[in-house]
Amino acid sequence: MLDGVILKGIGGFYYIDTVQGIYECRARGIFRKEGIRPTVGDSVQISVLDEANKKGSLDVILPRRNELIRPRVSNIDQAVIVFAAKSPNMNLDLLDRFLLLAEEQELDIVIVINKIDRDKQNKYEDAAALYRAAGYPVICTSAEKGIGIEELRKALENKISVFAGPSGVGKSSLINAAFLGLELNTGEISEKIQRGRHTTRHAELIRITEQSYIVDSPGFTSLFLNHIPSDKLQYYFREFQPFLHKCYYNGCVHINEPDCAIKEQIGEAIDSRRYERYKMLYEELENERRN
């Protein structure tokens, strides 16, 4: 059998990247019987049925390191979360939701602020400073002007990276600018409704160098976090980490308790905007739990 990685799945066919090339495979029926769904990014083993036409059978799915649901991909090293400085305007609540889901999966994270050339007042710099202070690498780019493209290219080296973010922020355009020749489909932003058309129809793993892959996936306009227990939320705010377990009360959730090490850092090591987001999300999760 050959080892490989699922690049994409369309209409029941899976395209597997191996050292001998890409094979079109059907998955064995046992997966369907056992309720197992082959996923883009899966490490697999295949049997070759027709070498000349690169046909095979997907026989084994190896254990996954992680699995994302939206977009549905597995074995990801890094989340590249892309927002636009303008067109559409940045939504920090949505950005924080992307960050929480990536933190929950224990992924490395890179934040990309694209279309900075359209922000004539440079307001994006405030958002970049906010998230750098929280402990995230932030790359400011313009796919159209070629700004920040080399820095982005270096951040993708030797990683399997998933690109995520709202539609219309320029994910495909950034990938095309960083890796000439890929020519991913791109769409124009609607000035009237400030939302992009979904130009990516399915998650697909794309090899960009010998040991580097990216996933281009559909954009989203909302993310649900109701599977996260409210008491676990604090562990997914990166800037909270040095102060957790230093509160006076065990089980402190950093909302109403006195002698709270997290609240003592508001305005110092913890930006008040991020803390307010934490409180809002905590209350949201608590309401979900009660209902």
Side-chain angles (χ1 to χ4, degrees), residues 4-60:
V5 175
I6 298 180
L7 298 180
K8 62 181 176 180
I10 301 175
F13 289 96
Y14 297 92
Y15 297 84
I16 316 297
D17 190 20
T18 77
V19 294
Q20 294 180 197
I22 297 174
Y23 289 81
E24 181 184 79
C25 299
R26 286 276 195 185
R28 293 181 61 193
I30 191 172
F31 296 129
R32 185 167 55 253
K33 291 177 182 177
E34 295 181 354
I36 299 172
R37 178 179 174 184
T39 299
V40 169
D42 276 345
S43 296
V44 299
Q45 294 178 333
I46 69 170
S47 297
V48 176
L49 303 179
D50 182 348
E51 178 60 38
N53 294 300
K54 294 295 186 183
K55 305 287 187 182
S57 169
L58 199 171
D59 296 334
V60 177

Side-chain angles (χ1 to χ4, degrees), residues 184-229:
L184 299 180
N185 188 26
T186 59
E188 294 298 321
I189 191 76
S190 166
E191 294 294 337
K192 183 175 182 181
I193 62 173
Q194 286 288 288
R195 293 175 61 188
R197 296 192 299 270
H198 296 303
T199 57
T200 310
R201 302 302 177 185
H202 56 271
E204 180 177 345
L205 203 63
I206 302 169
R207 185 201 285 177
I208 51 177
T209 69
E210 187 172 338
Q211 298 184 23
S212 307
Y213 295 86
I214 55 174
V215 178
D216 191 35
S217 56
F220 309 119
T221 54
S222 64
L223 287 172
F224 297 99
L225 305 172
N226 53 8
H227 64 286
I228 298 177

